Amino acid sequence: MRAARLIRMALLVQSHPGLTAAALARALDVSERTVIRDAQALQEAGVPVRSERGRTGGYHLAPGYRTRLTTLHPTEAETLFLSGLPSALRDLGLSDAADTARLKLTATLLPSVRAAAEASVRRFHLDAPAWFREPSAPELLPELARAVWSDRIVALSYARPGRDGAAASAVSRVVEPYGLVLKAGTWYVVARLRDGDVQGDVQRDGTGGLRGDGPGDGWRTYRVDRVTALAPPAPGGPEAFVRDADFDLAAHWEAHARAFARALLRTTVTVRLTAWGLGRLPDVVDGAAVEDALASASAPDDDGLVILTLRAESEDVAHDQLARLGADVEVLAPAALRACFRERAAALAALYRTAPETASETASGAASGAEGQR
């Protein structure tokens, strides 16, 4: 374990000169005292790492010193070659660059490590898009990716979906594109509005994707396939922005995606469930609603039934989801949803009250009816 940590520390110092003991301790999940001891161990092993004081201090490697990739463990090389998504690289226009980089990396590896890396490519393939949909890269994705790479401000135009079947409206925003996210085959751009731009971008996307984050916080999330045009900002203004060094794209996406999923749950439903229905609830209800629902569950009664409060997107959605549990769920409120289940149950009971007619009975009835008309 310590040997692996020492290698990670050397690579961190090499790629990020000037890291403090506190920063290294957070990255390595150890104490600052352990970082100091590890730095001494690296020096004793011949790695020229040193600590400097002052505003530009921190840990540095001697000028010109670099670790070598030939120290990669075969498992590490396998993981490295699995870290890319071929479809995502293709969408971004980076397939050729990725192939070239992979060839260069392969050429630097020891033969035994190279074989392990190549074996992983033959055994695993990552396919991001969801089933039953034809993946298509948004036309402006490569250009938007270049803006993300170069921290370039863009004037972004997109088609905002209308509510309740209304036509889409054209909207323009001047944004700082911080990152791109591929979610279930759909690309999103996470951006920050420039000062003075309109703040009211929040609305729901009819396909269930993210459209915007909290009003007033400056951060927005747009579906790239709805972006209709990209242009430089107005003449005379800055062309590039200074990226916030503390911004974490993965953490931002996780937090706002979770908040968005919860924001959709606008309807409250009270249900009574059997033990089997309670166990099946996570399979039929939105994941964002399950945790809160289980926390509100009552203790089982003498018959083993549990009452809980469930949040849903709408009564129609709640009906479609809970209907999958059959008689193992009873809707107690709201009254309109309970009435909907009662009407559906009555219709089903009427439909299945008698035995079905066979094909021969249907044909015989039709023939006798035709004979009586002669």
Side-chain angles (χ1 to χ4, degrees):
M1 288 290 294
R2 191 188 184 199
R5 190 177 70 240
L6 290 174
I7 294 174
R8 286 189 61 201
M9 180 174 175
L11 292 173
L12 283 170
V13 174
Q14 175 177 296
S15 57
H16 302 286
L19 284 176
T20 64
L24 285 168
R26 288 193 298 270
L28 299 171
D29 196 22
V30 296
S31 66
E32 293 186 33
R33 181 173 296 181
T34 299
V35 168
I36 295 173
R37 288 200 299 264
D38 285 353
Q40 294 174 346
L42 286 172
Q43 291 172 350
E44 293 172 0
V47 179
V49 60
R50 64 179 187 274
S51 175
E52 299 180 0
R53 298 181 179 275
R55 181 175 299 179
T56 60
Y59 283 92
H60 297 262
L61 291 177
Y65 180 87
R66 298 191 65 82
T67 59
R68 301 181 62 188
L69 286 176
T70 50
T71 59
L72 277 177
H73 187 275
T75 304
E76 297 167 343
E78 292 171 359
T79 305
L80 182 62
F81 273 70
L82 284 175
S83 63
L85 290 171
S87 59
L89 293 171
R90 182 179 61 250
D91 291 350
L92 293 169
L94 297 175
S95 293
D96 292 342
D99 290 342
T100 302
R102 193 175 292 110
L103 287 173
K104 290 181 177 180
L105 176 59
T106 301
T108 67
L109 298 176
L110 291 172
S112 58
V113 180
R114 186 185 308 147
E118 293 173 347
S120 69
V121 177
R122 299 190 189 98
R123 287 170 170 79
F124 299 96
H125 174 69
L126 304 178
D127 188 10
W131 283 104
F132 310 118
R133 56 183 296 180
E134 188 66 27
S136 60
E139 182 180 353
L140 294 175
L141 178 61
E143 183 179 350
L144 189 55
R146 288 191 289 271
V148 171
W149 278 113
S150 58
D151 296 338
R152 178 163 48 86
I153 300 169
V154 295
L156 177 150
S157 299
Y158 70 98
R160 180 166 61 189
R163 294 180 180 273
D164 301 324
S169 58
V171 181
S172 296
R173 299 286 182 262
V174 178
V175 301
E176 300 171 352
Y178 263 68
L180 290 164
V181 176
L182 179 61
K183 171 70 171 179
T186 301
W187 284 97
Y188 298 87
V189 57
V190 176
R192 185 162 62 180
L193 293 173
R194 293 291 292 175
D195 293 340
D197 207 338
V198 178
Q199 299 291 306
D201 276 350
V202 179
Q203 81 265 217
R204 177 182 162 189
D205 180 350
T207 63
L210 292 178
R211 294 290 297 157
D213 302 323
D217 63 4
W219 291 101
R220 298 293 181 268
T221 305
Y222 305 110
R223 279 184 56 151
V224 179
D225 59 5
R226 297 195 184 278
V227 175
T228 57
L230 291 174
E239 295 184 357
F241 64 92
V242 179
R243 178 177 288 268
D244 183 353
D246 295 329
F247 178 76
D248 186 327
L249 178 61
H252 174 92
W253 175 265
E254 181 179 359
H256 285 270
R258 185 168 55 248
F260 175 81
R262 290 183 179 275
L264 293 180
L265 306 177
R266 302 183 179 94
T267 299
T268 301
V269 180
T270 303
V271 298
R272 180 159 40 216
L273 295 154
T274 65
W276 184 89
L278 184 64
R280 283 269 296 151
L281 192 65
D283 298 329
V284 301
V285 175
D286 293 329
V290 172
E291 183 177 351
D292 295 339
L294 295 179
S296 72
S298 67
D301 62 14
D302 294 340
D303 297 322
L305 301 177
V306 172
I307 296 176
L308 55 80
T309 300
L310 181 69
R311 297 175 64 203
E313 188 173 336
S314 66
E315 290 187 15
D316 289 341
V317 172
H319 180 275
D320 291 343
Q321 293 175 337
L322 295 174
R324 304 175 199 174
L325 299 180
D328 287 275
V329 61
E330 178 188 1
V331 174
L332 304 179
L337 181 59
R338 181 177 175 86
C340 182
F341 269 92
R342 184 169 56 247
E343 292 169 4
R344 179 62 62 87
L348 287 172
L351 180 63
Y352 288 97
R353 185 172 294 121
T354 58
E357 290 184 348
T358 64
S360 59
E361 290 173 342
T362 303
S364 175
S368 61
E371 183 177 344
Q373 292 177 358
R374 292 176 183 169

PDB file of all heavy atoms in Angstrom, residues 5-26:
ATOM      1  N   ARG A   5       1.291   4.387  -2.731  1.00  0.00           N
ATOM      2  CA  ARG A   5       1.066   5.782  -2.331  1.00  0.00           C
ATOM      3  C   ARG A   5       2.269   6.652  -2.673  1.00  0.00           C
ATOM      4  O   ARG A   5       2.124   7.809  -3.096  1.00  0.00           O
ATOM      5  CB  ARG A   5       0.773   5.838  -0.836  1.00  0.00           C
ATOM      6  CG  ARG A   5       0.301   7.210  -0.383  1.00  0.00           C
ATOM      7  CD  ARG A   5      -0.064   7.237   1.083  1.00  0.00           C
ATOM      8  NE  ARG A   5       1.097   7.104   1.951  1.00  0.00           N
ATOM      9  CZ  ARG A   5       1.282   6.130   2.821  1.00  0.00           C
ATOM     10  NH1 ARG A   5       0.377   5.174   2.940  1.00  0.00           N
ATOM     11  NH2 ARG A   5       2.375   6.080   3.574  1.00  0.00           N
ATOM     12  N   LEU A   6       3.454   6.122  -2.516  1.00  0.00           N
ATOM     13  CA  LEU A   6       4.663   6.887  -2.851  1.00  0.00           C
ATOM     14  C   LEU A   6       4.703   7.214  -4.343  1.00  0.00           C
ATOM     15  O   LEU A   6       5.071   8.317  -4.747  1.00  0.00           O
ATOM     16  CB  LEU A   6       5.912   6.109  -2.435  1.00  0.00           C
ATOM     17  CG  LEU A   6       6.158   5.969  -0.932  1.00  0.00           C
ATOM     18  CD1 LEU A   6       7.346   5.054  -0.674  1.00  0.00           C
ATOM     19  CD2 LEU A   6       6.386   7.328  -0.287  1.00  0.00           C
ATOM     20  N   ILE A   7       4.328   6.231  -5.167  1.00  0.00           N
ATOM     21  CA  ILE A   7       4.295   6.469  -6.616  1.00  0.00           C
ATOM     22  C   ILE A   7       3.270   7.542  -6.942  1.00  0.00           C
ATOM     23  O   ILE A   7       3.524   8.458  -7.733  1.00  0.00           O
ATOM     24  CB  ILE A   7       3.975   5.160  -7.364  1.00  0.00           C
ATOM     25  CG1 ILE A   7       5.124   4.154  -7.193  1.00  0.00           C
ATOM     26  CG2 ILE A   7       3.715   5.434  -8.843  1.00  0.00           C
ATOM     27  CD1 ILE A   7       4.840   2.797  -7.781  1.00  0.00           C
ATOM     28  N   ARG A   8       2.087   7.454  -6.314  1.00  0.00           N
ATOM     29  CA  ARG A   8       1.062   8.472  -6.554  1.00  0.00           C
ATOM     30  C   ARG A   8       1.539   9.843  -6.137  1.00  0.00           C
ATOM     31  O   ARG A   8       1.294  10.849  -6.810  1.00  0.00           O
ATOM     32  CB  ARG A   8      -0.215   8.114  -5.787  1.00  0.00           C
ATOM     33  CG  ARG A   8      -1.019   6.979  -6.376  1.00  0.00           C
ATOM     34  CD  ARG A   8      -2.358   6.870  -5.673  1.00  0.00           C
ATOM     35  NE  ARG A   8      -3.135   8.110  -5.839  1.00  0.00           N
ATOM     36  CZ  ARG A   8      -4.118   8.482  -5.046  1.00  0.00           C
ATOM     37  NH1 ARG A   8      -4.448   7.729  -4.005  1.00  0.00           N
ATOM     38  NH2 ARG A   8      -4.770   9.594  -5.267  1.00  0.00           N
ATOM     39  N   MET A   9       2.235   9.918  -5.022  1.00  0.00           N
ATOM     40  CA  MET A   9       2.726  11.211  -4.544  1.00  0.00           C
ATOM     41  C   MET A   9       3.726  11.797  -5.529  1.00  0.00           C
ATOM     42  O   MET A   9       3.692  12.989  -5.860  1.00  0.00           O
ATOM     43  CB  MET A   9       3.365  11.052  -3.165  1.00  0.00           C
ATOM     44  CG  MET A   9       3.915  12.359  -2.599  1.00  0.00           C
ATOM     45  SD  MET A   9       4.517  12.169  -0.910  1.00  0.00           S
ATOM     46  CE  MET A   9       5.207  13.815  -0.634  1.00  0.00           C
ATOM     47  N   ALA A  10       4.657  10.962  -6.022  1.00  0.00           N
ATOM     48  CA  ALA A  10       5.644  11.448  -6.986  1.00  0.00           C
ATOM     49  C   ALA A  10       4.963  11.946  -8.258  1.00  0.00           C
ATOM     50  O   ALA A  10       5.338  12.985  -8.818  1.00  0.00           O
ATOM     51  CB  ALA A  10       6.652  10.344  -7.313  1.00  0.00           C
ATOM     52  N   LEU A  11       3.952  11.214  -8.722  1.00  0.00           N
ATOM     53  CA  LEU A  11       3.248  11.632  -9.936  1.00  0.00           C
ATOM     54  C   LEU A  11       2.451  12.913  -9.701  1.00  0.00           C
ATOM     55  O   LEU A  11       2.367  13.768 -10.587  1.00  0.00           O
ATOM     56  CB  LEU A  11       2.321  10.513 -10.406  1.00  0.00           C
ATOM     57  CG  LEU A  11       3.020   9.254 -10.929  1.00  0.00           C
ATOM     58  CD1 LEU A  11       1.996   8.158 -11.203  1.00  0.00           C
ATOM     59  CD2 LEU A  11       3.804   9.569 -12.197  1.00  0.00           C
ATOM     60  N   LEU A  12       1.852  13.058  -8.521  1.00  0.00           N
ATOM     61  CA  LEU A  12       1.118  14.283  -8.207  1.00  0.00           C
ATOM     62  C   LEU A  12       2.045  15.491  -8.184  1.00  0.00           C
ATOM     63  O   LEU A  12       1.717  16.555  -8.724  1.00  0.00           O
ATOM     64  CB  LEU A  12       0.411  14.141  -6.856  1.00  0.00           C
ATOM     65  CG  LEU A  12      -0.866  13.297  -6.836  1.00  0.00           C
ATOM     66  CD1 LEU A  12      -1.317  13.033  -5.402  1.00  0.00           C
ATOM     67  CD2 LEU A  12      -1.975  14.002  -7.612  1.00  0.00           C
ATOM     68  N   VAL A  13       3.188  15.342  -7.566  1.00  0.00           N
ATOM     69  CA  VAL A  13       4.141  16.454  -7.497  1.00  0.00           C
ATOM     70  C   VAL A  13       4.669  16.779  -8.891  1.00  0.00           C
ATOM     71  O   VAL A  13       4.885  17.947  -9.234  1.00  0.00           O
ATOM     72  CB  VAL A  13       5.296  16.112  -6.531  1.00  0.00           C
ATOM     73  CG1 VAL A  13       6.369  17.192  -6.565  1.00  0.00           C
ATOM     74  CG2 VAL A  13       4.764  15.950  -5.119  1.00  0.00           C
ATOM     75  N   GLN A  14       4.860  15.735  -9.715  1.00  0.00           N
ATOM     76  CA  GLN A  14       5.343  15.973 -11.072  1.00  0.00           C
ATOM     77  C   GLN A  14       4.315  16.712 -11.917  1.00  0.00           C
ATOM     78  O   GLN A  14       4.646  17.633 -12.661  1.00  0.00           O
ATOM     79  CB  GLN A  14       5.682  14.647 -11.736  1.00  0.00           C
ATOM     80  CG  GLN A  14       6.096  14.761 -13.201  1.00  0.00           C
ATOM     81  CD  GLN A  14       6.492  13.428 -13.798  1.00  0.00           C
ATOM     82  OE1 GLN A  14       7.473  12.834 -13.361  1.00  0.00           O
ATOM     83  NE2 GLN A  14       5.738  12.939 -14.771  1.00  0.00           N
ATOM     84  N   SER A  15       3.051  16.326 -11.808  1.00  0.00           N
ATOM     85  CA  SER A  15       2.016  16.939 -12.643  1.00  0.00           C
ATOM     86  C   SER A  15       1.494  18.250 -12.070  1.00  0.00           C
ATOM     87  O   SER A  15       0.972  19.084 -12.810  1.00  0.00           O
ATOM     88  CB  SER A  15       0.859  15.961 -12.842  1.00  0.00           C
ATOM     89  OG  SER A  15       0.322  15.556 -11.598  1.00  0.00           O
ATOM     90  N   HIS A  16       1.627  18.443 -10.749  1.00  0.00           N
ATOM     91  CA  HIS A  16       1.136  19.675 -10.121  1.00  0.00           C
ATOM     92  C   HIS A  16       2.205  20.236  -9.189  1.00  0.00           C
ATOM     93  O   HIS A  16       2.081  20.148  -7.957  1.00  0.00           O
ATOM     94  CB  HIS A  16      -0.146  19.400  -9.336  1.00  0.00           C
ATOM     95  CG  HIS A  16      -1.255  18.833 -10.163  1.00  0.00           C
ATOM     96  ND1 HIS A  16      -1.981  19.581 -11.065  1.00  0.00           N
ATOM     97  CD2 HIS A  16      -1.751  17.570 -10.239  1.00  0.00           C
ATOM     98  CE1 HIS A  16      -2.890  18.818 -11.643  1.00  0.00           C
ATOM     99  NE2 HIS A  16      -2.766  17.591 -11.180  1.00  0.00           N
ATOM    100  N   PRO A  17       3.274  20.806  -9.728  1.00  0.00           N
ATOM    101  CA  PRO A  17       4.333  21.353  -8.873  1.00  0.00           C
ATOM    102  C   PRO A  17       3.779  22.420  -7.924  1.00  0.00           C
ATOM    103  O   PRO A  17       2.897  23.196  -8.292  1.00  0.00           O
ATOM    104  CB  PRO A  17       5.307  21.967  -9.879  1.00  0.00           C
ATOM    105  CG  PRO A  17       5.007  21.306 -11.186  1.00  0.00           C
ATOM    106  CD  PRO A  17       3.551  21.018 -11.164  1.00  0.00           C
ATOM    107  N   GLY A  18       4.295  22.422  -6.704  1.00  0.00           N
ATOM    108  CA  GLY A  18       3.877  23.428  -5.746  1.00  0.00           C
ATOM    109  C   GLY A  18       2.762  22.983  -4.824  1.00  0.00           C
ATOM    110  O   GLY A  18       2.278  23.783  -4.014  1.00  0.00           O
ATOM    111  N   LEU A  19       2.324  21.725  -4.916  1.00  0.00           N
ATOM    112  CA  LEU A  19       1.296  21.243  -4.000  1.00  0.00           C
ATOM    113  C   LEU A  19       1.812  21.292  -2.565  1.00  0.00           C
ATOM    114  O   LEU A  19       2.940  20.890  -2.286  1.00  0.00           O
ATOM    115  CB  LEU A  19       0.898  19.814  -4.349  1.00  0.00           C
ATOM    116  CG  LEU A  19      -0.011  19.618  -5.572  1.00  0.00           C
ATOM    117  CD1 LEU A  19      -0.221  18.137  -5.824  1.00  0.00           C
ATOM    118  CD2 LEU A  19      -1.356  20.311  -5.364  1.00  0.00           C
ATOM    119  N   THR A  20       0.988  21.779  -1.664  1.00  0.00           N
ATOM    120  CA  THR A  20       1.372  21.838  -0.263  1.00  0.00           C
ATOM    121  C   THR A  20       1.177  20.483   0.403  1.00  0.00           C
ATOM    122  O   THR A  20       0.544  19.580  -0.160  1.00  0.00           O
ATOM    123  CB  THR A  20       0.529  22.882   0.477  1.00  0.00           C
ATOM    124  OG1 THR A  20      -0.850  22.470   0.449  1.00  0.00           O
ATOM    125  CG2 THR A  20       0.663  24.257  -0.178  1.00  0.00           C
ATOM    126  N   ALA A  21       1.704  20.354   1.624  1.00  0.00           N
ATOM    127  CA  ALA A  21       1.519  19.110   2.366  1.00  0.00           C
ATOM    128  C   ALA A  21       0.039  18.875   2.639  1.00  0.00           C
ATOM    129  O   ALA A  21      -0.439  17.735   2.590  1.00  0.00           O
ATOM    130  CB  ALA A  21       2.303  19.169   3.680  1.00  0.00           C
ATOM    131  N   ALA A  22      -0.709  19.952   2.891  1.00  0.00           N
ATOM    132  CA  ALA A  22      -2.141  19.803   3.149  1.00  0.00           C
ATOM    133  C   ALA A  22      -2.867  19.303   1.907  1.00  0.00           C
ATOM    134  O   ALA A  22      -3.740  18.426   1.985  1.00  0.00           O
ATOM    135  CB  ALA A  22      -2.732  21.136   3.606  1.00  0.00           C
ATOM    136  N   ALA A  23      -2.506  19.854   0.726  1.00  0.00           N
ATOM    137  CA  ALA A  23      -3.158  19.429  -0.514  1.00  0.00           C
ATOM    138  C   ALA A  23      -2.823  17.976  -0.831  1.00  0.00           C
ATOM    139  O   ALA A  23      -3.692  17.203  -1.255  1.00  0.00           O
ATOM    140  CB  ALA A  23      -2.731  20.340  -1.661  1.00  0.00           C
ATOM    141  N   LEU A  24      -1.588  17.588  -0.634  1.00  0.00           N
ATOM    142  CA  LEU A  24      -1.200  16.199  -0.876  1.00  0.00           C
ATOM    143  C   LEU A  24      -1.884  15.259   0.115  1.00  0.00           C
ATOM    144  O   LEU A  24      -2.280  14.144  -0.255  1.00  0.00           O
ATOM    145  CB  LEU A  24       0.322  16.054  -0.773  1.00  0.00           C
ATOM    146  CG  LEU A  24       1.125  16.598  -1.956  1.00  0.00           C
ATOM    147  CD1 LEU A  24       2.603  16.655  -1.611  1.00  0.00           C
ATOM    148  CD2 LEU A  24       0.910  15.732  -3.192  1.00  0.00           C
ATOM    149  N   ALA A  25      -2.040  15.711   1.351  1.00  0.00           N
ATOM    150  CA  ALA A  25      -2.712  14.876   2.350  1.00  0.00           C
ATOM    151  C   ALA A  25      -4.156  14.611   1.951  1.00  0.00           C
ATOM    152  O   ALA A  25      -4.658  13.491   2.098  1.00  0.00           O
ATOM    153  CB  ALA A  25      -2.647  15.554   3.721  1.00  0.00           C
ATOM    154  N   ARG A  26      -4.837  15.648   1.408  1.00  0.00           N
ATOM    155  CA  ARG A  26      -6.221  15.443   0.961  1.00  0.00           C
ATOM    156  C   ARG A  26      -6.286  14.513  -0.238  1.00  0.00           C
ATOM    157  O   ARG A  26      -7.168  13.645  -0.319  1.00  0.00           O
ATOM    158  CB  ARG A  26      -6.849  16.795   0.606  1.00  0.00           C
ATOM    159  CG  ARG A  26      -7.157  17.676   1.810  1.00  0.00           C
ATOM    160  CD  ARG A  26      -8.049  18.838   1.408  1.00  0.00           C
ATOM    161  NE  ARG A  26      -7.410  19.697   0.431  1.00  0.00           N
ATOM    162  CZ  ARG A  26      -6.659  20.746   0.731  1.00  0.00           C
ATOM    163  NH1 ARG A  26      -6.445  21.060   2.014  1.00  0.00           N
ATOM    164  NH2 ARG A  26      -6.112  21.499  -0.207  1.00  0.00           N
TER     165      ARG A  26
END
